[in-house]
C-alpha cells in the first residue's frame, strides 16, 4: 500500500527525510 | 524431423513450452540487468526502464481485484487456536514484523491474518513529534518527496504522474479562502495546480510513503487539518512495491485509491491512500459510506462525498488532530 500527501505550504517549507529512508508514524516529515 | 518415427519425437508438452519461454524471458531480463550494472559502474546515468503500454495492459488484465477479494476472504476464516501461532509466526518471520510494538503480543488473540494485519500498536511505540508541523501518517519507506512542478508529481526519481489524473477535477466549491483563478495561466494543467494553491506565496508539495507487507497498516492524521471531501477511485490493484513503482508510469492513477482533501493552516491539504495487490480495502474511520474493492465498477469512475456541511459555515469538514487515528488498509 502507499500513502501520498499533496499539500500547499509556504516556499520555505523543508522536508526532513531522504528518498529510500524508512520512516515510522509520528516522526517528522517536514516543517517551516 | 521428417523421417524420425513420431513416438521418438519428445512430445512438446505445454509445461516444456512454458519453462522454455519463461526461462528465456528470465535470462533476457538477467542479461539486461547485467548490462545496466556495467553502464552504472561506468558512471552512465540510466533512465528508468518504463513498462510499455502492452506490458501495462497485460498486467492490468490479471484479475488482481478478484484474487485480492479471495485472499481477503481466505484470511477472514477463523483459525483454530492451535494453528494461529504457526501461521502468524510464519508471516512475522517472512516480513520482519516487530511484535514488541504490538498492543497485543499474544498471537492466539488474533483469530486470523486479517485481524493480525489490522493490529494496533502500543501508544508509546510511536511518539508524535511535537516540533514539526507535518509528521509521517504511517510506517513505511519514503519513495519520493518535494515540490509539485507543472502539475506533475514525482512517483519515483525520473518518473512522474499527472496531479489532475490522480486527484480528479476540482471538487471543492469556491472556498472562502481561495483567490480567483488567475486568468494568465497558460495551460489547463497550470491552472489546475494554481486553483489548488490558495496563496501566491505558497507552493505545492508532495510525499510518497510505501508500506511494506510487514509494516503497521493503520494511518493517522499527518497534521492539524479539516477533511472536507472524499473521492474514491475504484481501480486496479497492481503491486506498489518500489520495483513496480519504478516500472509502471502513472501506477498510482491506475490503482484503487481514496483521496481525502481539505485545508490546514497554510491552505490546501490532501492525503491519499492507494490500495495494492492483496491490500485492496481501505477504511476511513469517519466515512461509513466508503466501500472499496467492490466486484463491479465502471472504468474511470469515482464517488464523491462531502463532509463540509454547507449550512453550518463553521463546520467546513471533519477536524483531525496531528497523529489522530484516520484509517487503515485491510487485506482483501
Amino acid at each position: 500500500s502507499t500513502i501520498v500527501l499533496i499539500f500547499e505550504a509556504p516556499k520555505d517549507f523543508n522536508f526532513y527525510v531522504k528518498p529510500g529512508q524508512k520512516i515510522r508514524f509520528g516522526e517528522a516529515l517536514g516543517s517551516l | 524431423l521428417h523421417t524420425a518415427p513420431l513416438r521418438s519425437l519428445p512430445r512438446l508438452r505445454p509445461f516444456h513450452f512454458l519453462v522454455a519461454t519463461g526461462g528465456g524471458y528470465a535470462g533476457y531480463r538477467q542479461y539486461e540487468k547485467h548490462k545496466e550494472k556495467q553502464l552504472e559502474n561506468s558512471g552512465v546515468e540510466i533512465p528508468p526502464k518504463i513498462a510499455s503500454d502492452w506490458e501495462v495492459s497485460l498486467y492490468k488484465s490479471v484479475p488482481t481485484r478478484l484474487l485480492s477479494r479471495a485472499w481477503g476472504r481466505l484470511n477472514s476464516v477463523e483459525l483454530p487456536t492451535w494453528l494461529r501461532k504457526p501461521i502468524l509466526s510464519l508471516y512475522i518471520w517472512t516480513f520482519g514484523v516487530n511484535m514488541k510494538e504490538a498492543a497485543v503480543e499474544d498471537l492466539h488473540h488474533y483469530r486470523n491474518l486479517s485481524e493480525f494485519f489490522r493490529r494496533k500498536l502500543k501508544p508509546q511505540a510511536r511518539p508524535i513529534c511535537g516540533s514539526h508541523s507535518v509528521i509521517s501518517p504511517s510506517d513505511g519507506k519514503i519513495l519520493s518527496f518535494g515540490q509539485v512542478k507543472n502539475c506533475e508529481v514525482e512517483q519515483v526519481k525520473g518518473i512522474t504522474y499527472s496531479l489532475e489524473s490522480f486527484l480528479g477535477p476540482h471538487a471543492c466549491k469556491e472556498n472562502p479562502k481561495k483567490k480567483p483563478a488567475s486568468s494568465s495561466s497558460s495551460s489547463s494543467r497550470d491552472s489546475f495546480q494554481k486553483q489548488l494553491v490558495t496563496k501566491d506565496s505558497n507552493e505545492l508539495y508532495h510525499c510518497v510513503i510505501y508500506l511494506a507487507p510487514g509494516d503497521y497498516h493503520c494511518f493517522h492524521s499527518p497534521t492539524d487539518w479539516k477533511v472536507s471531501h472524499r473521492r474514491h477511485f475504484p481501480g486496479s490493484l497492481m503491486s506498489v512495491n518500489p520495483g513496480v513503482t519504478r516500472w509502471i508510469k502513472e501506477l498510482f492513477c491506475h490503482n484503487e485509491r481514496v483521496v481525502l482533501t481539505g485545508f490546514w493552516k497554510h491552505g490546501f491539504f490532501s492525503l491519499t491512500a492507494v490500495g495494492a495487490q492483496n491490500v485492496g480495502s481501505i477504511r476511513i474511520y469517519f466515512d461509513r459510506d466508503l466501500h472499496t474493492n467492490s466486484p463491479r465498477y465502471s472504468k474511470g469512475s469515482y464517488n464523491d462525498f462531502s463532509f463540509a456541511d454547507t449550512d453550518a459555515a463553521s463546520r467546513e469538514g471533519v477536524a483531525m488532530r496531528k497523529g489522530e487515528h484516520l484509517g487503515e488498509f485491510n487485506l482483501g
Side-chain angles (χ1 to χ4, degrees):
Chain A
S1 332
T2 303
I3 288 187
V4 180
L5 300 180
I6 295 173
F7 55 94
E8 164 183 7
K11 288 182 174 27
D12 53 348
F13 182 88
N14 287 306
F15 282 97
Y16 294 93
V17 290
K18 289 186 289 296
Q21 169 191 334
K22 286 289 281 177
I23 194 162
R24 306 199 317 177
F25 152 53
E27 290 176 352
L29 259 188
S31 205
L32 290 169
Chain B
L1 277 181
H2 290 296
T3 53
L6 269 186
R7 66 174 174 286
S8 65
L9 269 182
R11 278 183 333 118
L12 246 190
R13 293 196 178 81
F15 176 70
H16 294 159
F17 180 72
L18 271 179
V19 168
T21 45
Y25 185 67
Y28 168 67
R29 294 286 295 159
Q30 282 311 316
Y31 166 68
E32 277 232 316
K33 278 203 182 106
H34 173 68
K35 213 173 58 177
E36 280 175 10
K37 206 103 193 107
Q38 282 185 320
L39 285 174
E40 244 168 25
N41 295 341
S42 55
V44 176
E45 171 102 8
I46 306 156
K49 191 169 165 12
I50 295 180
S52 51
D53 290 350
W54 71 269
E55 288 173 310
V56 177
S57 314
L58 187 66
Y59 189 179
K60 286 180 83 172
S61 66
V62 175
T64 49
R65 294 169 61 84
L66 181 71
L67 293 172
S68 180
R69 279 195 301 280
W71 175 245
R73 211 155 292 134
L74 172 71
N75 285 299
S76 302
V77 172
E78 183 157 343
L79 296 170
T81 310
W82 60 272
L83 198 50
R84 294 177 188 176
K85 195 168 169 79
I87 286 189
L88 297 179
S89 301
L90 179 64
Y91 185 90
I92 290 165
W93 176 76
T94 308
F95 296 112
V97 177
N98 178 357
M99 278 309 286
K100 289 191 177 39
E101 301 173 332
V104 179
E105 295 185 42
D106 174 15
L107 295 181
H108 297 103
H109 164 82
Y110 302 97
R111 289 176 298 169
N112 47 46
L113 185 57
S114 284
E115 264 192 15
F116 179 75
F117 197 77
R118 292 196 300 268
R119 68 190 177 284
K120 299 295 181 269
L121 298 182
K122 292 185 176 79
Q124 66 275 23
R126 294 287 185 278
I128 307 292
C129 170
S131 53
H132 291 83
S133 50
V134 183
I135 60 169
S136 178
S138 70
D139 284 9
K141 177 192 265 193
I142 301 286
L143 286 193
S144 71
F145 62 91
Q147 260 190 30
V148 177
K149 294 187 175 119
N150 311 317
C151 225
E152 288 286 319
V153 191
E154 191 175 63
Q155 187 169 301
V156 285
K157 188 164 171 35
I159 300 184
T160 63
Y161 56 94
S162 149
L163 181 67
E164 193 163 3
S165 311
F166 184 66
L167 296 180
H170 285 294
C172 52
K173 298 176 184 58
E174 282 304 296
N175 62 60
K177 286 180 265 182
K178 227 191 77 48
K179 66 177 207 28
S182 59
S183 56
S184 64
S185 58
S186 53
S187 72
S188 68
R189 291 152 50 118
D190 230 8
S191 74
F192 179 82
Q193 181 162 340
K194 281 208 168 80
Q195 286 191 44
L196 279 185
V197 177
T198 57
K199 296 184 200 90
D200 274 341
S201 56
N202 284 351
E203 296 289 352
L204 209 54
Y205 297 91
H206 77 97
C207 184
V208 180
I209 300 167
Y210 164 70
L211 290 81
D215 283 332
Y216 165 60
H217 264 73
C218 297
F219 48 91
H220 300 247
S221 176
T223 189
D224 296 332
W225 65 311
K226 282 196 172 181
V227 185
S228 52
H229 190 269
R230 174 264 288 159
R231 175 166 287 167
H232 165 220
F233 291 85
S236 309
L237 287 174
M238 294 187 270
S239 169
V240 291
N241 85 41
V244 179
T245 310
R246 270 191 292 273
W247 185 51
I248 295 187
K249 182 170 168 50
E250 306 254 338
L251 175 64
F252 299 148
C253 299
H254 291 299
N255 269 24
E256 177 123 9
R257 62 193 183 279
V258 177
V259 181
L260 299 177
T261 52
F263 296 92
W264 70 322
K265 60 186 173 188
H266 297 295
F268 173 78
F269 199 95
S270 75
L271 177 146
T272 302
V274 183
Q277 207 160 322
N278 299 330
V279 186
S281 297
I282 298 164
R283 269 190 67 202
I284 303 295
Y285 296 134
F286 56 74
D287 187 351
R288 304 249 178 270
D289 296 302
L290 175 64
H291 302 289
T292 55
N293 199 6
S294 312
R296 265 169 303 287
Y297 77 96
S298 41
K299 233 172 167 46
S301 65
Y302 55 79
N303 317 299
D304 279 355
F305 185 90
S306 173
F307 302 103
D309 177 352
T310 40
D311 304 339
S314 60
R315 185 175 144 70
E316 283 169 6
V318 179
M320 292 303 295
R321 309 283 304 153
K322 184 167 77 169
E324 192 176 343
H325 276 278
L326 180 50
E328 62 187 43
F329 290 100
N330 288 173
L331 292 181

